[in-house]
Amino acid sequence: MEQKKVWFVTGASKGLGLSIVKQLLAQGFPVAATSRSIDALSKAVGSDDNFLPLSVDLTSEKSVADAVDATVKKFGRIDVVVNNAGYGLVGALEELTDEESRENFNVNVFAVLNVIRKALPHLRKQGSGHIINISSIAGFVGTFPGFGIYCATKFALDGLTEALSEEVKPMGIHTTIVGPGYFRTNFLAADSLVTPKNIIEEYTTVRETQHAHQHSYNGNQAGDPEKGAAAIIRIASEQQPPLHFFLGEDAYNLAYSKMDAVKAELESWKELTVSTAVEA
């Protein structure tokens, strides 16, 4: 009988990460999962012989290395890495401090790099594996006032994942960017969506966006996290998984709107764009 893949999932105490972990365990997969609070993680998931809860500071290389080593020690290998941990930040670019902006990058980008760097030696040695980075439709479409820094972190994640896919493909390792739209998780709740300390009242569109996300969208998102988790698990079972996987009908529609807009702009400015060639 084929050995079930070993999963390593970050940010697993709530939201999409928690749904992924619970479904995997229900299907008999060995799962190592991380959270800042091991108590919250254990309470949320429950007890299971195939479950390894880990308290990890993802911004610390040593903490991540210890978690990866503990996973390999318990299960013998790692097959699927899901970088799910992250948080939202809403605020105009002028409002957000350097510290607030850098912290969003630390968690949403550099923590992912820590996990990738520590997991890849094991995946390379095996000659197989799958790295799934949970990005956002905001990593492909940036026209959300107030979400400039958050979009920047997710655009960065998309870019590094595209490059990573070409680096590791010859080693038998797959890579997927998951770009969810709005899912009915606690992502828009106060403990997951950070707001700026310094408010500039002139940014009315930012305040309107912030209010809508916190009071209108929250709890009314169209996406079902259980179905989203099942789709991500399904992707990991494919022999040729996609590099880009948009999740949710809203993400699908927004992606096409962006591509259509870019194509129209390209054609509108084509004459000037191509006029820069060196004369023969």
Side-chain angles (χ1 to χ4, degrees):
M1 188 172 67
E2 184 180 0
Q3 180 185 354
K4 284 189 174 286
K5 293 178 179 178
V6 176
W7 289 63
F8 183 91
V9 183
T10 70
S13 63
K14 56 188 177 181
L16 198 58
L18 178 59
S19 296
I20 291 171
V21 169
K22 284 185 171 181
Q23 289 189 32
L24 288 169
L25 291 172
Q27 295 173 37
F29 286 97
V31 181
T34 82
S35 175
R36 286 172 295 181
S37 169
I38 196 168
D39 291 336
L41 179 58
S42 299
K43 183 177 179 181
V45 176
S47 179
D48 191 299
D49 289 341
N50 278 331
F51 180 50
L52 176 63
L54 297 162
S55 176
V56 181
D57 175 5
L58 294 171
T59 64
S60 162
E61 283 194 284
K62 183 182 185 307
S63 184
V64 172
D66 290 344
V68 170
D69 289 345
T71 302
V72 174
K73 182 178 180 180
K74 180 173 176 64
F75 297 124
R77 57 190 291 126
I78 293 179
D79 296 292
V80 184
V81 175
V82 181
N83 284 303
N84 172 69
Y87 70 92
L89 177 65
V90 58
L93 294 177
E94 185 184 354
E95 291 177 321
L96 294 169
T97 64
D98 183 72
E99 181 182 3
E100 288 170 326
S101 301
R102 286 179 185 273
E103 183 59 22
N104 205 211
F105 270 90
N106 283 338
V107 175
N108 290 4
V109 180
F110 291 105
V112 174
L113 287 171
N114 284 341
V115 175
I116 289 171
R117 280 194 292 261
K118 301 307 177 185
L120 270 177
H122 300 282
L123 304 186
R124 285 192 291 105
K125 185 177 179 180
Q126 294 164 190
S128 65
H130 193 169
I131 296 172
I132 300 174
N133 290 335
I134 308 297
S135 180
S136 168
I137 185 59
F140 189 75
V141 179
T143 51
F144 300 104
F147 283 90
I149 293 299
Y150 176 74
C151 288
T153 68
K154 294 302 185 179
F155 267 71
L157 184 59
D158 283 21
L160 72 87
T161 307
E162 288 186 0
L164 176 67
S165 70
E166 293 301 314
E167 292 172 359
V168 301
K169 188 185 299 181
M171 305 171 191
I173 301 168
H174 298 298
T175 312
T176 296
I177 305 163
V178 177
Y182 290 100
F183 277 77
R184 202 165 296 185
T185 67
N186 60 348
F187 178 75
L188 297 178
D191 62 341
S192 294
L193 184 65
V194 175
T195 56
K197 297 173 185 174
N198 306 312
I199 299 295
I200 300 174
E201 295 301 334
E202 285 87 343
Y203 285 105
T204 55
T205 57
V206 173
R207 296 287 81 76
E208 290 166 2
T209 300
Q210 179 181 335
H211 187 273
H213 279 78
Q214 291 175 317
H215 302 289
S216 298
Y217 296 173
N218 191 25
N220 297 306
Q221 300 96 320
D224 182 339
E226 297 304 319
K227 292 180 179 178
I232 292 168
I233 293 170
R234 155 78 186 279
I235 287 298
S237 70
E238 297 291 324
Q239 287 191 339
Q240 296 298 326
L243 172 58
H244 300 95
F245 180 56
F246 293 99
L247 196 59
E249 186 175 0
D250 54 350
Y252 177 91
N253 291 332
L254 282 166
Y256 260 110
S257 294
K258 166 73 176 279
M259 289 187 286
D260 289 342
V262 171
K263 183 177 179 181
E265 215 164 37
L266 273 171
E267 295 308 314
S268 177
W269 291 93
K270 179 180 178 181
E271 184 178 351
L272 185 59
T273 297
V274 302
S275 70
T276 56
V278 175
E279 296 292 335

